[in-house]
Amino acid sequence: MDTVMLQFRHRGMAPGLDEVAALFGLAPGEIDATFGVIATDPAEGLYTVRIDVRGADRVRAALAQRPADPAEGLFANPPIAPFGPPED
Amino acid sequence: MKRNLIIELDYGARLAEAAFAAASDPQAGLDPAAVPDIAGIALDPSFAPTVIPGVHATDPTAPGYVSGQKVELALTEAGEIDPNQATYIVRATAEEDKVEEILAQKHVVGVFADVEIQPSLICPGSPPMGDDGDVERLLCVPQMRRLRMDGSGVLVAIVDTGINLAHLSARGRPITLDVARSWVPSPGMVPGNAPVGHGTMCAFDAAIAAPQATFLDIQLLRSSASGPTPMSGVLSDAVRAYSHLISVMTAPRRPGEARSLVVNNSWGMFHPSWDFPVGHPGNYSDNPNHPFNRIVAALERVGADILFAAGNCGANCPDGRCQGVTANAIYGANSHPSVLTIAGVDISNTRVGYSSQGPGRLARNKPDLAGYTHFRGSGVYAADGGTSAATPVVAGVVAAVRSRRPFQPGNPAASPAAIRALMRSTATDLGAAGFDFDHGFGVVGGCALVRRFIRVRPIRPIDICRRIPELCRPRPLPIDICRRFPEICRGVRRPDLPLPPPDLPRPGPQFAADDESLGDFGFELGGASLEDLLAAVWEAGYYDGSQVTGGAAASRSPAKGCGCGCS
């Protein structure tokens, strides 16, 4: 499935997957459970989940209800590859 | 010894005809019959004779003279190269000591060395230059080891395709792996047992300078998520891997446990089309708020030294996956201000043509410095190449530094920022003076780091008594002959003066001289000191002298009837 990363702020302990799904209007299957909820910046209370792009519109709608924050939102999940050996 | 030579010949009709014909025929070779007989050379038949146009000095008074032009081509009236004034070169081999004889022969204008040349830049597909032994030497690794700069007590995380321990052992660089703190993206994968590939190469190259480090196998690029190649992944897996590394750094510490962590990342995003567009709030390449860029900063804040490869999209000969995009090609975390971004140079300190150039997307002054690459090393590939190899070479040096300056929370001198500053300030400058977008601050300076870590000790004065104790043993006082016998020092010969009463030798237990040899003086010598003896000898001599010169007898004559001149 095509995925994107959802980063959001959360106070207190790391939220569970169910809590994240409820916060952003996602179905349980739209959040990657193997990825889990990762603290990307613990000092700032920033957490990230990996979600199916089919839930992106609902997430945007939920985010629109929150104060504008450049650290919150849907982020690219681009492919990565080794830098070697160089190919012609 | 045979040498490859370029032989320059003067005009000959057949030679000129062949040379001018070959100029328009790339398949042409050499017809030996067209070349005059030259003794001592073996012509190369694959090298067609080549015209070297003649020149002559310009006439400044001639119409059309171009100021500053000192020579001009010798042309025919038709404006073509004049074959009579041209010379012609052929390629040949000859014994080195025959060059003078060849040069003296008719038709030979010059004989020149035909030296081997190489492309000025290493590019994808170029053969390796040097080997890991050369890299060791350039980094002053033996000197580092003498200072215990060897990675001991330091964790080195290879975030890559996985490490194969057996291969490293077979190649002579066995490493210690911490399986418990390694990480795999999927169940069933075993740290240290990955297929031999890119990650194994990175571990090999990090072990050049940090053979005693404890490695963590972070098999990010074996993730099950689909990427553009079989050995690839997606960036969200890197977020997971980094979350694991943060937990490694923040876990409760055991007494004496190493907690310095160097993180090697020889991977990245090859092309901006893989990303959201620049300006999109979810973009990765230019966006410090992207989750991966945030977690990179978080890992650095808890004390990890993070290195990223600059990439292989250098303008001279980029990797094909760059799709021709070579400007501003250091993307995302590879250009993060909290990491060291590593360019690549070969062992001659020449930037490899594919090494990505700055400026970076997140931080402008990228790359930070360069590491050695494209050498024969791990045996995984023909060459340990790409900025992929340059980065672990530098990561190993950082780990070696951490052996001497371990991370200590709250100590600014041991922070990752301080280590980055140290690495930049000890780099050997290349290219334009100071920072430049090709090499950063220069190539990693292992030897300069060694000099930084040599402890400066005050020079202690030489303790001569400790070194040569014989010099400092208590000795008898020197005889002050003038004090004891002032007549001598006044220079007045007054033999009639009474001599000072000699100190007669006193018997004593310490004297070990041969009594019989001195007994002629009639003294009892059993316990005399050296000074006593010298005084007695002097007295005897004085007495004898006075007898010879007819002077008055000494006040005291040796008490002996001996038949030796005394009366």
Side-chain angles (χ1 to χ4, degrees):
Chain A
M1 68 177 180
D2 286 338
T3 59
V4 290
M5 284 184 274
L6 164 60
Q7 184 170 251
F8 57 95
R9 285 187 199 278
H10 188 80
R11 292 187 175 208
M13 299 285 287
L17 289 173
D18 292 344
E19 189 177 355
V20 176
L23 276 170
F24 295 99
L26 292 165
E30 289 175 325
I31 302 180
D32 187 340
T34 60
F35 186 90
V37 182
I38 289 176
T40 39
D41 193 339
E44 294 285 321
L46 284 173
Y47 296 89
T48 295
V49 293
R50 185 160 65 188
I51 68 167
D52 189 329
V53 291
R54 287 175 295 186
D57 287 342
R58 271 167 282 141
V59 169
R60 287 193 194 96
L63 287 169
Q65 305 300 314
R66 298 160 69 101
D69 183 346
E72 286 195 326
L74 296 169
F75 292 90
N77 187 20
I80 51 176
F83 279 157
E87 298 175 3
D88 289 323
Chain B
M1 187 177 73
K2 282 198 180 299
R3 295 291 298 263
N4 293 321
L5 299 172
I6 296 170
I7 312 289
E8 184 178 8
L9 303 170
D10 64 8
Y11 171 78
R14 290 192 64 181
L15 180 60
E17 184 182 351
F20 279 95
S24 57
D25 180 7
Q27 304 298 321
L30 174 69
D31 175 8
V35 182
D37 286 337
I38 309 291
I41 65 170
L43 292 166
D44 180 352
S46 68
F47 185 88
T50 302
V51 181
I52 305 294
V55 294
H56 54 72
T58 50
D59 178 3
T61 64
Y65 170 71
V66 177
S67 178
Q69 185 176 324
K70 295 180 179 174
V71 295
E72 59 187 8
L73 291 179
L75 302 176
T76 62
E77 289 183 358
E80 297 171 339
I81 293 170
D82 184 350
N84 289 298
Q85 296 192 56
T87 56
Y88 304 88
I89 60 171
V90 293
R91 192 160 69 190
T93 56
E95 291 295 332
E96 187 173 333
D97 57 0
K98 301 290 185 189
V99 167
E100 292 297 326
E101 293 175 22
I102 297 166
L103 192 56
Q105 294 183 53
K106 192 179 177 187
H107 302 297
V108 177
V109 175
V111 179
F112 307 94
D114 189 8
V115 296
E116 289 185 17
I117 54 172
Q118 291 185 330
S120 58
L121 285 177
I122 294 279
C123 283
S126 296
M129 182 185 284
D131 59 22
D132 53 309
D134 294 311
V135 175
E136 271 195 10
R137 177 178 50 80
L138 290 165
L139 294 176
C140 287
V141 168
Q143 293 92 323
M144 281 190 195
R145 287 180 187 161
R146 283 199 287 275
L147 292 173
R148 290 183 293 105
M149 297 170 68
D150 54 10
S152 53
V154 180
L155 299 173
V156 175
I158 303 295
V159 183
D160 214 276
T161 60
I163 298 172
N164 187 293
L165 290 175
H167 181 83
L168 294 177
S169 295
R171 297 291 297 185
R173 290 204 187 275
I175 61 167
T176 302
L177 185 73
D178 186 335
V179 174
R181 288 189 281 190
S182 294
W183 180 86
V184 292
S186 304
M189 296 178 178
V190 181
N193 195 30
V196 175
H198 191 262
T200 303
M201 177 195 79
C202 291
F204 181 96
D205 295 337
I208 291 174
Q212 299 302 316
T214 299
F215 284 74
L216 307 183
D217 187 5
I218 309 296
Q219 299 188 1
L220 166 67
L221 298 174
R222 291 185 75 197
S223 84
S224 55
S226 60
T229 65
M231 276 298 171
S232 60
V234 289
L235 196 56
S236 53
D237 287 316
V239 174
R240 289 173 67 202
Y242 269 59
S243 175
H244 169 76
L245 292 173
I246 288 175
S247 69
V248 168
M249 281 300 280
T250 56
R253 193 176 298 202
R254 293 191 294 268
E257 180 188 347
R259 197 51 64 84
S260 298
L261 173 65
V262 180
V263 185
N264 183 81
N265 301 274
S266 295
W267 54 270
M269 188 179 76
F270 268 99
H271 192 266
S273 66
W274 296 5
D275 188 13
F276 289 169
V278 176
H280 186 288
N283 164 269
Y284 162 62
S285 63
D286 295 63
N287 184 0
N289 282 315
H290 187 279
F292 186 62
N293 293 329
R294 296 295 292 235
I295 204 167
V296 166
L299 180 59
E300 190 262 359
R301 279 201 299 274
V302 296
D305 303 301
I306 306 171
L307 295 89
F308 268 89
N312 296 342
C313 295
N316 305 82
C317 41
D319 186 304
R321 289 168 288 185
C322 305
Q323 300 172 47
V325 178
T326 58
N328 302 90
I330 308 178
Y331 307 113
N334 300 66
S335 64
H336 201 289
S338 298
V339 311
L340 278 174
T341 303
I342 309 300
V345 297
D346 62 32
I347 62 162
S348 71
N349 283 341
T350 303
R351 175 183 149 268
V352 292
Y354 51 73
S355 178
S356 293
Q357 296 141 298
R361 298 286 186 117
L362 294 183
R364 179 174 169 77
N365 279 0
K366 294 289 181 176
D368 292 277
L369 65 157
Y372 296 107
T373 187
H374 222 95
F375 54 88
R376 191 168 48 255
S378 68
V380 175
Y381 309 109
D384 286 8
T387 50
S388 275
T391 306
V393 165
V394 180
V397 176
V398 173
V401 168
R402 278 297 190 192
S403 290
R404 293 295 303 270
R405 190 175 290 177
F407 172 67
Q408 296 168 317
N411 180 357
S415 68
I419 297 298
R420 291 197 297 276
L422 175 65
M423 298 301 292
R424 293 186 196 112
S425 66
T426 52
T428 303
D429 192 17
L430 300 177
F435 175 86
D436 63 70
F437 289 130
D438 286 352
H439 314 89
F441 287 92
V443 66
V444 59
C447 303
L449 285 163
V450 166
R451 289 192 289 275
R452 285 284 179 100
F453 281 90
I454 291 175
R455 185 178 298 168
V456 178
R457 294 177 179 163
I459 299 171
R460 290 190 302 183
I462 298 170
D463 183 352
I464 196 73
C465 288
R466 191 176 59 81
R467 296 279 298 274
I468 313 173
E470 297 79 29
L471 289 178
C472 298
R473 281 202 191 119
R475 290 176 180 280
L477 288 173
I479 299 166
D480 184 351
I481 199 78
C482 289
R483 181 177 61 80
R484 293 183 68 91
F485 307 108
E487 296 81 8
I488 295 173
C489 295
R490 280 200 295 270
V492 178
R493 182 180 288 268
R494 297 174 62 185
D496 54 330
L497 291 175
L499 288 169
D503 291 329
L504 293 175
R506 292 175 292 277
Q510 302 301 320
F511 187 68
D514 181 354
D515 284 6
E516 288 186 5
S517 64
L518 295 169
D520 286 350
F521 296 108
F523 299 143
E524 293 295 330
L525 299 175
S529 70
L530 180 61
E531 190 177 351
D532 294 332
L533 288 170
L534 283 170
V537 168
W538 178 83
E539 185 181 351
Y542 182 84
Y543 173 80
D544 288 346
S546 67
Q547 297 299 305
V548 170
T549 57
S555 61
R556 179 180 177 277
S557 61
K560 184 169 187 209
C562 59
C564 57
C566 52
S567 55

